[in-house]
């Protein structure tokens, strides 16, 4: 039989607050023109993942419903519609393989639509020629990250990989690299509420690594630009700095790490990535360690993305991070900047100024991505990134050699 046409093809605004609605069906996704939805103050206990498939939905009000998913309930009261839809698209917290399969299907559907909306064949050939190159290496003994059971209730999702061939020596290359991460944290990471990025100098990493949790009074880290401190004391110190900043500037906006402190509210344990020597190299979502800090001389990176929302968000953020680094690398080569002694700002991975170093070498293209295995305490594989299906979200801008 021919496909059933959408029931209301022109409906752009749907307002149904205070109507004792108990459920929204999956057919909500069959409203192709829906831009605004108000179902506040009803009796909804769940929101269907199909909402994320409404192609034009930009504004939605779900407040005043007793949602079972308490994180989602908090999000509908304080987050933008885009964040809520991304959370629903990822299946929410704690969903199993079936939900991930659905997410993959949706992802493929979106990519197919993007290709369909693309230009003619000649244009495609031009775009293909201008794509950035990234080569994926399937190494026989990849770096391993072991995940302890305790992270499940704190920050359960982590994706890692190795990226080789980065050129940060010339001019402002390192500064651009750090600024790009700050922007990604604001945008795709949704102010670190969806995910957090950490980048490390691979040469300073001693594996295997353990993704673990520790009590705030026991977790010790040497944060970027600071001395070793317990996590509990670091947060208190940052809180005091934030208050002082508010007083001095006489405004509510605060900057730097201070604006992420609330992300750890109510946690009895804090997540951390620990190296083979027992040192904490990352304390998401706040900071990583001076021990593995990126410098101008850094050529090979260890990339880490964590989330308390979903594994798919980690992968999407990692895809975007690799694309961004590839773009920065090409920009650096094309600009042919001299190696300089520009002062670099602190950022999540970021650094104090390195000594100027002469004769920066041009970056080797393509960049090389090496897989990293994430396993449980028994050695069972949880995540291998990048797998054959990863880096698809940036395929329109990236040519991946496997």
């Amino acid at each position: 039989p021919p496909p059933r046409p959408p029931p209301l093809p022109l409906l752009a605004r749907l307002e149904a607050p205070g109507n004792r609605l108990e459920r929204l069906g999956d057919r909500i996704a069959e409203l192709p023109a829906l831009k605004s939805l108000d179902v506040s103050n009803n009796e909804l206990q769940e929101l269907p993942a199909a909402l994320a498939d409404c192609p034009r939905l930009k504004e939605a009000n779900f407040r005043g419903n007793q949602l079972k998913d308490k994180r989602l309930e908090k999000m509908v009261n304080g987050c933008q519609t885009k964040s809520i839809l991304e959370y629903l698209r990822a299946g929410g917290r704690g969903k199993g393989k079936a939900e991930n399969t659905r997410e993959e299907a949706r992802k493929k559907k979106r990519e197919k639509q993007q290709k369909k909306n693309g230009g003619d064949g000649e244009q495609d050939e031009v775009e293909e020629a201008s794509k950035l190159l990234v080569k994926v290496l399937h190494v026989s003994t990849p770096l391993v990250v072991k995940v302890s059971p305790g992270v499940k209730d704190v920050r359960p999702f982590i994706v890692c990989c190795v990226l080789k061939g980065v050129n940060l020596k010339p001019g402002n290359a390192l500064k651009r690299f750090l600024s790009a991460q700050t922007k990604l944290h604001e945008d795709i990471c949704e102010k670190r509420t969806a995910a957090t990025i950490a980048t490390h100098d691979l040469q300073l990493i001693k594996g295997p690594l353990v993704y673990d949790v520790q009590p705030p009074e026991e977790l010790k880290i040497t944060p970027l630009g600071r001395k070793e401190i317990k996590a509990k004391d670091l947060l208190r110190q940052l809180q005091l700095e934030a208050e002082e900043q508010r007083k001095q500037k006489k405004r509510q906006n605060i900057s730097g790490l201070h604006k992420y402190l609330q992300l750890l509210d109510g946690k009895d344990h804090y997540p951390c990535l620990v190296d083979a020597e027992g040192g904490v190299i990352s304390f998401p979502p706040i900071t990583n360690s001076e021990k593995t800090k990126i410098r101008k001389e850094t050529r090979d990176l260890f990339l880490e993305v964590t989330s308390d929302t979903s594994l798919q968000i980690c992968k999407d953020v990692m895809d975007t991070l690799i694309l961004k680094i590839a773009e920065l690398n090409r920009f650096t080569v094309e600009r042919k900047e001299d190696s300089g002694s520009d002062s670099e700002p602190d950022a999540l991975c970021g650094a104090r100024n390195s000594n100027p170093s002469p004769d920066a070498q041009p970056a080797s293209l393509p960049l090389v991505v090496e897989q990293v295995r994430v396993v449980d305490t028994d050695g069972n594989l949880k995540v291998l990134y990048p797998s054959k299906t990863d880096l698809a979200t940036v395929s329109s801008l990236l040519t991946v050699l496997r």
Side-chain angles (χ1 to χ4, degrees):
R4 183 171 50 184
L8 298 163
L10 301 178
L11 181 66
R13 188 179 186 88
L14 176 57
E15 295 189 4
N19 273 283
R20 296 187 180 178
L21 293 176
E22 294 182 359
R23 65 182 294 273
L24 281 178
D26 285 348
R27 291 195 66 193
I28 189 84
E30 295 178 22
L31 298 174
L34 185 64
K35 291 183 180 179
S36 176
L37 173 67
D38 184 353
V39 286
S40 58
N41 301 314
N42 280 291
E43 296 174 10
L44 301 174
Q45 294 188 355
E46 294 179 346
L47 298 179
L51 278 165
D53 295 329
C54 293
R56 297 191 178 180
L57 186 58
K58 301 293 181 196
E59 297 176 12
N61 185 356
F62 305 112
R63 296 185 184 92
N65 290 286
Q66 297 297 313
L67 300 174
K68 287 180 182 176
D69 185 333
K70 294 306 170 190
R71 176 178 174 79
L72 181 57
E73 189 170 84
K74 192 181 285 187
M75 288 180 74
V76 303
N77 287 321
C79 292
Q80 293 179 346
T81 300
K82 182 183 175 185
S83 305
I84 296 164
L85 297 182
E86 283 297 329
Y87 182 76
L88 292 171
R89 179 175 288 121
R93 183 186 293 186
K95 294 292 191 294
K97 289 183 180 176
E99 199 61 53
N100 286 337
T101 305
R102 256 165 69 189
E103 165 59 17
E104 285 299 324
R106 287 195 195 106
K107 199 167 160 184
K108 285 176 183 174
K109 186 179 174 184
R110 291 197 300 273
E111 284 166 11
K112 191 175 179 183
Q113 191 63 37
Q114 285 170 354
K115 285 179 184 175
K116 187 179 175 183
N117 295 338
D120 56 29
E122 188 178 330
Q123 180 69 21
D124 289 346
E125 283 180 24
V126 173
E127 287 176 359
E128 189 67 36
S130 68
K131 279 184 182 181
L132 294 150
L133 287 177
V134 168
K135 186 174 183 180
V136 176
L137 282 190
H138 306 270
V139 290
S140 55
T141 54
L143 193 59
V144 173
V145 177
K146 193 173 283 189
V147 176
S148 74
V151 302
K152 185 179 178 183
D153 300 320
V154 178
R155 195 175 183 83
F157 305 106
I158 182 168
V159 168
C160 304
C161 70
V162 166
L163 187 64
K164 293 187 172 182
V166 177
N167 187 13
L168 299 173
K169 272 189 179 182
N172 289 319
L174 179 57
K175 190 173 184 178
R176 285 194 295 271
F177 177 84
L178 302 180
S179 298
Q181 283 179 79
T182 302
K183 193 169 190 311
L184 288 175
H185 272 138
E186 291 296 309
D187 298 339
I188 190 171
C189 295
E190 297 169 24
K191 295 181 166 52
R192 301 198 197 188
T193 57
T196 304
I197 298 163
T199 58
H200 309 265
D201 187 326
L202 181 67
Q203 304 305 317
L204 305 175
I205 296 273
K206 292 181 172 60
L209 303 170
V210 178
Y211 184 47
D212 202 0
V213 291
Q214 295 180 16
E217 59 276 5
E218 292 179 19
L219 195 163
K220 285 184 180 179
I221 186 170
T222 305
L224 294 163
R226 298 172 185 252
K227 294 178 180 178
E228 186 181 65
I229 190 171
K230 290 179 180 176
K232 184 179 179 181
D233 297 330
L234 173 63
L235 261 64
R236 189 186 297 119
Q237 196 176 92
L238 290 170
Q239 194 68 55
L240 291 171
E241 288 175 11
E243 290 302 322
E244 188 61 32
Q245 203 177 95
R246 280 197 191 98
K247 286 177 187 173
Q248 286 179 0
K249 297 189 177 180
K250 295 181 180 178
R251 63 185 190 197
Q252 286 303 304
N253 292 338
I254 52 174
S255 61
L257 302 177
H258 309 100
K259 57 188 173 185
Y260 306 117
L261 301 181
Q262 79 283 358
L263 298 177
L264 289 171
D265 284 353
K267 306 278 190 197
D268 294 327
H269 289 76
Y270 290 164
C272 55
L273 192 60
V274 183
D275 68 11
E277 297 177 335
V280 173
I281 63 170
S282 177
F283 168 30
I286 303 299
T287 184
N288 51 308
S289 173
E290 185 79 12
K291 184 177 180 180
T292 57
K293 181 176 69 176
I294 304 290
R295 294 172 173 80
K296 276 181 169 287
E297 291 73 27
T298 301
R299 292 283 293 171
D300 303 333
L301 307 176
F302 177 76
L303 308 180
E304 159 209 342
V305 178
T306 61
S307 171
D308 67 352
T309 304
S310 82
L311 181 64
Q312 190 58 47
I313 284 174
C314 289
K315 290 186 169 193
D316 290 349
V317 169
M318 186 67 86
D319 287 358
T320 308
L321 176 62
I322 290 171
L323 171 64
K324 178 52 68 177
I325 294 173
E327 289 174 347
L328 290 171
N329 228 37
R330 181 162 72 179
F331 182 81
T332 298
V333 172
E334 289 173 352
R335 285 280 292 267
K336 296 181 181 176
E337 295 171 304
D338 293 327
S339 179
S341 57
D342 52 305
S343 68
E344 307 292 359
D346 283 333
L348 173 77
C349 59
R352 289 280 188 263
N353 187 28
S354 313
N355 292 326
S357 46
D359 304 320
Q361 298 299 313
S364 57
L365 293 173
L367 287 174
V368 174
V369 186
E370 288 185 4
Q371 295 174 313
V372 170
R373 290 169 61 89
V374 176
V375 301
D376 64 18
T377 47
D378 295 324
N380 300 312
L381 183 66
K382 289 171 71 73
V383 188
L384 177 66
Y385 182 94
S387 68
K388 288 180 181 178
T389 56
D390 294 321
L391 292 165
T393 58
V394 290
S395 59
S396 61
L397 299 164
L398 211 59
T399 296
V400 182
L401 308 175
R402 299 185 189 271

